[in-house]
Amino acid sequence: MDRYERILTLHRLLKSAHYPVPLPRLMDELECSRATLYRDVAFLRDALGAPIESAGGEHAAFRYAIGEGERFELPGLWLTSDELAALLALNELIGRSGPGVLAGALAPFKARIEHLLSDQGSGKALPIERIRVIAWGERTLDQQVFRIVAGAVLERRQLRFRYRARTTNADSHRTVSPQRLTHYRDNWYLDVWDHDREALRSFAVDRIAEPLALDQPARDVAENELNDALASSYGIFAGKPKAWATLRFSQHAARWVADEHWHSQQKGEWLPDGRYELQVPYSNSKELLMDVLKYGPDAEVVAPLSLREELKIQLQLALSGYQQPPR
């Protein structure tokens, strides 16, 4: 935990505490030594003006002064990157909603967001328009379909719909027990128990048509079972891992890849020549190869051999399209 995170965590602990917080607990929460904690307390009190009261001696503890502590806020914008992204995403959602019931329901959140995105010391609005959140690869979504699907998930009711898979462009009719909605790479997916296939499946919500919420209660699948089947391999249409992919990236690409999160179980290491090797579990190779291909000649599939050959075929097919002038 860096100093910024420690100061923010310390402030929140003291702000929410009804009684003095013991020194050992603060050291544990901030993951720091006694000396570091005392330096952070001094900075919060002396540089930022926090109304900290302390009890010294063998049982040292800290708290904000009653009354004054309730009014104190850190100066400037003290949000983590995840918190800022979440607030901006919600703010954008409110802006998209337009007039109607949803806009009215979200209005209190908008006021709260505007307060959070302001200088807590002076109350001055910060120029938040200078921070952009850009959607990438977002597909068109029928909002009526989304409302019915989301309603079935939350109300725990079975769902019937028509689905056209992009891979085959074929229609099928499904009766499912919806388990959860997943927002992945700016698009929504529905994790379900498919009653016809008697298996767990994921469906892109933008490919669902004619949804109908049924009266029958949905079958619940344990979260660990969902994660084992749908989140243990690479990508959204995962399934249980069938192999581990070993990928190598050039010195140039390694500057990006080494800091990227590809999978919760990924393994990475720097090679002696400056390249970076990444290992991820996978079941369906399609999405994994798409992500490898975006690095072009800076990426290489090392293993397994079947995955390496599959990528080689894709590269040969892509090259064949450039053998003749465009028609």
Side-chain angles (χ1 to χ4, degrees), residues 227-228 231-234 239 241 243-245 261-268 278-282:
N227 291 334
D228 285 344
S232 56
S233 293
Y234 189 85
W244 279 75
H261 176 83
W262 286 51
H263 190 270
S264 60
Q265 299 177 41
Q266 70 185 45
K267 303 173 184 176
L278 179 69
Q279 292 182 311
V280 293
Y282 76 97

Short mmCIF file of all heavy atoms in Angstrom, two decimals, residues 227-228 231-234 239 241 243-245 261-268 278-282:
data_model
loop_
_atom_site.label_atom_id
_atom_site.label_comp_id
_atom_site.label_asym_id
_atom_site.label_seq_id
_atom_site.Cartn_x
_atom_site.Cartn_y
_atom_site.Cartn_z
N ASN A 227 -18.23 -20.08 -10.99
CA ASN A 227 -16.87 -19.62 -11.28
C ASN A 227 -15.99 -20.72 -11.85
O ASN A 227 -15.19 -20.48 -12.75
CB ASN A 227 -16.23 -19.06 -10.00
CG ASN A 227 -16.87 -17.76 -9.56
OD1 ASN A 227 -17.43 -17.02 -10.37
ND2 ASN A 227 -16.82 -17.48 -8.26
N ASP A 228 -16.15 -21.94 -11.35
CA ASP A 228 -15.36 -23.06 -11.88
C ASP A 228 -15.66 -23.30 -13.35
O ASP A 228 -14.77 -23.59 -14.15
CB ASP A 228 -15.65 -24.34 -11.09
CG ASP A 228 -14.99 -24.32 -9.72
OD1 ASP A 228 -14.09 -23.49 -9.50
OD2 ASP A 228 -15.40 -25.13 -8.86
N ALA A 231 -15.56 -19.00 -15.17
CA ALA A 231 -14.55 -17.97 -14.93
C ALA A 231 -13.15 -18.52 -14.69
O ALA A 231 -12.25 -17.76 -14.35
CB ALA A 231 -14.97 -17.11 -13.73
N SER A 232 -12.97 -19.81 -14.85
CA SER A 232 -11.66 -20.38 -14.55
C SER A 232 -10.72 -20.38 -15.75
O SER A 232 -9.53 -20.63 -15.61
CB SER A 232 -11.81 -21.82 -14.02
OG SER A 232 -12.54 -22.61 -14.94
N SER A 233 -11.26 -20.11 -16.96
CA SER A 233 -10.44 -20.06 -18.16
C SER A 233 -10.45 -18.66 -18.74
O SER A 233 -11.21 -17.79 -18.32
CB SER A 233 -10.97 -21.06 -19.21
OG SER A 233 -10.78 -22.38 -18.77
N TYR A 234 -9.64 -18.46 -19.78
CA TYR A 234 -9.50 -17.15 -20.38
C TYR A 234 -10.74 -16.77 -21.18
O TYR A 234 -11.29 -17.58 -21.92
CB TYR A 234 -8.28 -17.13 -21.31
CG TYR A 234 -7.93 -15.76 -21.82
CD1 TYR A 234 -7.13 -14.92 -21.07
CD2 TYR A 234 -8.43 -15.29 -23.03
CE1 TYR A 234 -6.81 -13.65 -21.50
CE2 TYR A 234 -8.12 -14.02 -23.47
CZ TYR A 234 -7.31 -13.21 -22.70
OH TYR A 234 -7.01 -11.95 -23.14
N GLY A 239 -15.55 -21.88 -19.87
CA GLY A 239 -15.56 -23.31 -19.61
C GLY A 239 -14.36 -23.70 -18.78
O GLY A 239 -13.46 -22.89 -18.53
N PRO A 241 -10.79 -25.10 -17.86
CA PRO A 241 -9.55 -25.07 -18.66
C PRO A 241 -9.21 -26.44 -19.24
O PRO A 241 -9.34 -27.46 -18.56
CB PRO A 241 -8.49 -24.62 -17.65
CG PRO A 241 -9.23 -24.02 -16.51
CD PRO A 241 -10.56 -24.69 -16.46
N ALA A 243 -6.20 -26.49 -21.13
CA ALA A 243 -4.74 -26.40 -21.25
C ALA A 243 -4.29 -25.02 -20.76
O ALA A 243 -5.10 -24.13 -20.52
CB ALA A 243 -4.31 -26.63 -22.69
N TRP A 244 -2.96 -24.88 -20.63
CA TRP A 244 -2.36 -23.59 -20.31
C TRP A 244 -1.63 -23.10 -21.55
O TRP A 244 -0.87 -23.86 -22.17
CB TRP A 244 -1.37 -23.71 -19.15
CG TRP A 244 -2.04 -23.71 -17.81
CD1 TRP A 244 -2.74 -24.74 -17.24
CD2 TRP A 244 -2.08 -22.64 -16.88
NE1 TRP A 244 -3.23 -24.36 -16.01
CE2 TRP A 244 -2.83 -23.07 -15.76
CE3 TRP A 244 -1.55 -21.35 -16.87
CZ2 TRP A 244 -3.06 -22.27 -14.65
CZ3 TRP A 244 -1.77 -20.54 -15.77
CH2 TRP A 244 -2.53 -21.00 -14.67
N ALA A 245 -1.87 -21.85 -21.90
CA ALA A 245 -1.17 -21.25 -23.03
C ALA A 245 0.08 -20.54 -22.53
O ALA A 245 0.04 -19.82 -21.53
CB ALA A 245 -2.07 -20.25 -23.75
N HIS A 261 -3.57 -7.23 -16.80
CA HIS A 261 -4.26 -8.35 -16.15
C HIS A 261 -5.00 -9.13 -17.23
O HIS A 261 -5.95 -8.64 -17.82
CB HIS A 261 -5.26 -7.83 -15.11
CG HIS A 261 -6.07 -8.93 -14.49
ND1 HIS A 261 -5.60 -9.69 -13.44
CD2 HIS A 261 -7.32 -9.39 -14.77
CE1 HIS A 261 -6.53 -10.57 -13.10
NE2 HIS A 261 -7.58 -10.41 -13.89
N TRP A 262 -4.55 -10.35 -17.50
CA TRP A 262 -5.19 -11.19 -18.50
C TRP A 262 -6.13 -12.21 -17.85
O TRP A 262 -7.16 -12.54 -18.41
CB TRP A 262 -4.13 -11.93 -19.33
CG TRP A 262 -3.41 -11.07 -20.32
CD1 TRP A 262 -2.80 -9.87 -20.07
CD2 TRP A 262 -3.21 -11.34 -21.71
NE1 TRP A 262 -2.23 -9.38 -21.22
CE2 TRP A 262 -2.46 -10.25 -22.24
CE3 TRP A 262 -3.56 -12.38 -22.56
CZ2 TRP A 262 -2.08 -10.20 -23.59
CZ3 TRP A 262 -3.18 -12.34 -23.90
CH2 TRP A 262 -2.46 -11.26 -24.40
N HIS A 263 -5.74 -12.71 -16.69
CA HIS A 263 -6.55 -13.73 -16.01
C HIS A 263 -6.15 -13.77 -14.55
O HIS A 263 -5.00 -13.48 -14.19
CB HIS A 263 -6.33 -15.11 -16.66
CG HIS A 263 -7.29 -16.16 -16.19
ND1 HIS A 263 -7.03 -16.97 -15.11
CD2 HIS A 263 -8.53 -16.51 -16.65
CE1 HIS A 263 -8.05 -17.78 -14.93
NE2 HIS A 263 -8.98 -17.52 -15.84
N SER A 264 -7.11 -14.15 -13.69
CA SER A 264 -6.84 -14.16 -12.25
C SER A 264 -5.76 -15.16 -11.86
O SER A 264 -5.13 -15.02 -10.80
CB SER A 264 -8.14 -14.48 -11.49
OG SER A 264 -8.65 -15.75 -11.88
N GLN A 265 -5.52 -16.20 -12.69
CA GLN A 265 -4.52 -17.21 -12.36
C GLN A 265 -3.27 -17.10 -13.24
O GLN A 265 -2.46 -18.03 -13.29
CB GLN A 265 -5.13 -18.61 -12.51
CG GLN A 265 -6.31 -18.86 -11.59
CD GLN A 265 -6.93 -20.23 -11.83
OE1 GLN A 265 -6.23 -21.23 -12.02
NE2 GLN A 265 -8.26 -20.30 -11.83
N GLN A 266 -3.10 -16.00 -13.93
CA GLN A 266 -1.97 -15.88 -14.84
C GLN A 266 -0.63 -15.96 -14.12
O GLN A 266 -0.51 -15.62 -12.94
CB GLN A 266 -2.06 -14.54 -15.59
CG GLN A 266 -1.80 -13.32 -14.72
CD GLN A 266 -2.02 -12.03 -15.50
OE1 GLN A 266 -3.00 -11.88 -16.21
NE2 GLN A 266 -1.09 -11.10 -15.37
N LYS A 267 0.37 -16.41 -14.86
CA LYS A 267 1.74 -16.49 -14.36
C LYS A 267 2.65 -15.78 -15.35
O LYS A 267 2.57 -16.04 -16.56
CB LYS A 267 2.19 -17.95 -14.20
CG LYS A 267 1.29 -18.79 -13.30
CD LYS A 267 1.71 -20.25 -13.33
CE LYS A 267 0.76 -21.12 -12.52
NZ LYS A 267 1.11 -22.57 -12.63
N GLY A 268 3.47 -14.89 -14.86
CA GLY A 268 4.35 -14.16 -15.75
C GLY A 268 5.76 -14.08 -15.22
O GLY A 268 5.98 -14.05 -14.01
N LEU A 278 4.20 -15.14 -20.54
CA LEU A 278 2.92 -15.13 -19.83
C LEU A 278 2.23 -16.47 -20.02
O LEU A 278 2.19 -17.00 -21.14
CB LEU A 278 2.03 -13.99 -20.37
CG LEU A 278 0.64 -13.85 -19.75
CD1 LEU A 278 0.74 -13.38 -18.30
CD2 LEU A 278 -0.20 -12.87 -20.57
N GLN A 279 1.67 -17.01 -18.94
CA GLN A 279 0.92 -18.26 -19.00
C GLN A 279 -0.50 -18.02 -18.48
O GLN A 279 -0.67 -17.41 -17.41
CB GLN A 279 1.60 -19.35 -18.17
CG GLN A 279 2.93 -19.81 -18.72
CD GLN A 279 3.54 -20.92 -17.88
OE1 GLN A 279 3.63 -20.82 -16.66
NE2 GLN A 279 3.96 -21.99 -18.54
N VAL A 280 -1.49 -18.48 -19.24
CA VAL A 280 -2.89 -18.35 -18.84
C VAL A 280 -3.64 -19.64 -19.15
O VAL A 280 -3.35 -20.30 -20.16
CB VAL A 280 -3.59 -17.17 -19.55
CG1 VAL A 280 -3.03 -15.84 -19.10
CG2 VAL A 280 -3.49 -17.30 -21.07
N PRO A 281 -4.61 -20.01 -18.31
CA PRO A 281 -5.43 -21.19 -18.61
C PRO A 281 -6.50 -20.81 -19.63
O PRO A 281 -7.03 -19.70 -19.61
CB PRO A 281 -6.05 -21.54 -17.25
CG PRO A 281 -6.14 -20.22 -16.55
CD PRO A 281 -4.97 -19.41 -17.01
N TYR A 282 -6.84 -21.74 -20.52
CA TYR A 282 -7.87 -21.44 -21.51
C TYR A 282 -8.66 -22.69 -21.86
O TYR A 282 -8.21 -23.81 -21.67
CB TYR A 282 -7.27 -20.82 -22.78
CG TYR A 282 -6.58 -21.83 -23.69
CD1 TYR A 282 -7.23 -22.37 -24.79
CD2 TYR A 282 -5.27 -22.25 -23.42
CE1 TYR A 282 -6.60 -23.29 -25.62
CE2 TYR A 282 -4.64 -23.17 -24.24
CZ TYR A 282 -5.31 -23.69 -25.34
OH TYR A 282 -4.69 -24.62 -26.15
#
